Amino acid sequence: MDTLTTVVQGILNMGSSVVLPIIIFTLALIFRVPIRNAITSGLTVGIGMLGISLVLGLLSDNVGPAAQAMVERFGLELTIVDAGWPAVAAATWAQPIAAVMIPVILAVNLIMLAFNWTKTLNIDIWNYWHMSAAAATGYIVTRSFFWGIVCGIGYTVIVQLVADKTAPYVQDYYGLEGVSITTGSAQGYALLGIPIAWAVSKIPGIGKLDVEPETIQKRFGIFGEPMIMGIIIGGAMAILGGYDITRILQTAMAMGAVMFILPRMVKILMEGLIPIQEAAQATLQKRYADREIFLGMDAALATGSPAALSTGLLMVPITLLIAVLLPGNRVLPFADLATIPFFAALVVPTRKGNILHSVIALTVVITFALWMATDYAPVLTKMAEGVIKFPKGASQISNFDTGGNLLNWIFLKLSELVNSVF
């Protein structure tokens, strides 16, 4: 088990920009893409993912400090610190059950494909950690290896089904042909966000307000351009954080750059995926007649959309405000604030990019997410003990990606029920 864990950890430590090209190259050979094209596709996808990571790093480096400055400026006192998804992912992979889950998740996916229970081939192995986190939760709560695997399998099945259901919206709105989104955090927020956004669209007055990036651009001219929107949002966050004029301008420019560059990075990645997607469709159609097969990918692809990114950035100050005012919340939002655009990834396309509807829906979802993250804190703290260094002043840790994720929280409650019964 220790050897398997070491091997898996070593592979994952390479990062998605290395692991994903290897997976793409292997898939290309399986689907009989010429080796030259297979190499080019794999490298292009890797470069695109690296570009996305760099731009998201720019986002995180600017949103995190601005959010922390807001927290300090307004004197927020909350005892559970949002340690962010990287910390929880590291804690997840450190659990003995996590290494076992990778082949289990892949096997479940292939079995579902073979029996036509899903249309999605989830190649986003990097994000298998979301399923593994559910397995680790089940194992920590019950001390049962078997129950932990059951939780991981259950999570995997739900991810496959949600990916299939949301794929038409993803493909139509984002233009990602043959792709579905299999990131567990995006799906967990979508389970609440999509029906709430639908309900918002039925509210008289609000339901008819068309607040899409294209509409904003038409009505406000240059001020509706995605990069200008980024500059305005970034500048506003910096002002709320009490920055001086230099840092306000720097933060504003960084957010404008994110809004401008990120869609181009996604386009590069998709250039690498197209040959694989076409070859996969052709090969699988020969075998399965007219069956559709989607490639399950990271929600990072959706962050190239101005609507998803704008929704996420607008939710940062809103999330901080809710955290302060919400009775029963003990979580201090921090590291996962830059991840909120991922949470919007499946909500935004179902509303055809309507930022207003998406923000209102996510405001409701974040409210529940804070309560869930507070409830999840003891387990995530136990999972992370001895694995990561806790943030200064934190008695416990949690996060939005896992702790505030409805899917993970459901398996936490199921595990507690099993533990109390047996």
Side-chain angles (χ1 to χ4, degrees), residues 31-47:
F31 292 123
R32 300 179 182 179
V33 174
I35 190 166
R36 178 178 177 178
N37 293 346
I39 293 172
T40 301
S41 291
L43 292 176
T44 303
V45 167
I47 291 168

Side-chain angles (χ1 to χ4, degrees), residues 85-358:
W85 73 263
V88 176
T92 295
W93 290 122
Q95 304 307 310
I97 197 171
V100 176
M101 285 310 301
I102 289 184
V104 169
I105 293 165
L106 187 56
V108 170
N109 188 177
L110 293 176
I111 289 169
M112 291 182 72
L113 269 175
F115 285 94
N116 199 19
W117 296 338
T118 184
K119 298 177 181 180
T120 297
L121 174 61
N122 186 359
I123 63 172
D124 187 21
I125 292 178
W126 178 257
N127 274 308
Y128 279 19
W129 80 265
H130 288 98
M131 297 80 149
S132 297
T137 297
Y139 172 69
I140 287 172
V141 172
T142 66
R143 304 312 298 173
S144 168
F145 214 81
F146 172 76
W147 175 251
I149 291 176
V150 169
C151 289
I153 291 174
Y155 198 110
T156 301
V157 171
I158 295 172
V159 163
Q160 294 297 136
L161 297 178
V162 174
D164 289 347
K165 291 293 184 181
T166 54
Y169 299 103
V170 168
Q171 294 170 16
D172 179 58
Y173 183 74
Y174 295 130
L176 302 174
E177 186 178 348
V179 168
S180 61
I181 289 177
T182 47
T183 306
S185 54
Q187 295 200 351
Y189 279 79
L191 288 176
L192 282 176
I194 290 175
I196 293 172
W198 176 85
V200 169
S201 72
K202 301 302 177 184
I203 298 173
I206 294 177
K208 292 184 178 180
L209 290 177
D210 183 16
V211 190
E212 302 171 21
E214 295 78 10
T215 305
I216 295 173
Q217 190 171 337
K218 286 179 182 177
R219 292 185 180 180
F220 297 97
I222 189 173
F223 294 101
E225 293 282 349
M227 64 177 174
I228 302 298
M229 290 169 60
I231 288 171
I232 293 170
I233 295 171
M237 289 176 58
I239 291 170
L240 288 173
Y243 283 10
D244 59 30
I245 186 62
T246 299
R247 295 186 69 193
I248 289 172
L249 294 175
Q250 289 173 340
T251 304
M253 281 302 297
M255 292 301 97
V258 168
M259 295 286 280
F260 185 79
I261 298 172
L262 197 52
R264 286 157 174 77
M265 295 300 102
V266 173
K267 186 177 180 181
I268 290 172
L269 188 146
M270 286 307 300
E271 286 177 8
L273 281 181
I274 288 172
I276 313 301
Q277 190 266 334
E278 291 177 346
Q281 292 280 358
T283 301
L284 293 169
Q285 280 180 2
K286 287 180 183 177
R287 184 168 183 176
Y288 298 112
D290 295 327
R291 274 186 60 184
E292 283 186 300
I293 302 294
F294 308 139
L295 296 181
M297 294 291 292
D298 195 322
L301 293 179
T303 59
S305 158
L309 203 50
S310 296
T311 297
L313 292 177
L314 288 169
M315 283 304 303
V316 171
I318 292 173
T319 299
L320 288 166
L321 180 62
I322 296 171
V324 176
L325 301 177
L326 185 64
N329 171 56
R330 292 172 52 215
V331 175
L332 173 63
F334 179 50
D336 265 348
L337 288 172
T339 313
I340 296 179
F342 288 73
F343 306 157
L346 293 176
V347 178
V348 168
T350 63
R351 301 280 26 106
K352 297 182 179 179
N354 192 312
I355 297 172
L356 177 63
H357 294 176
S358 301

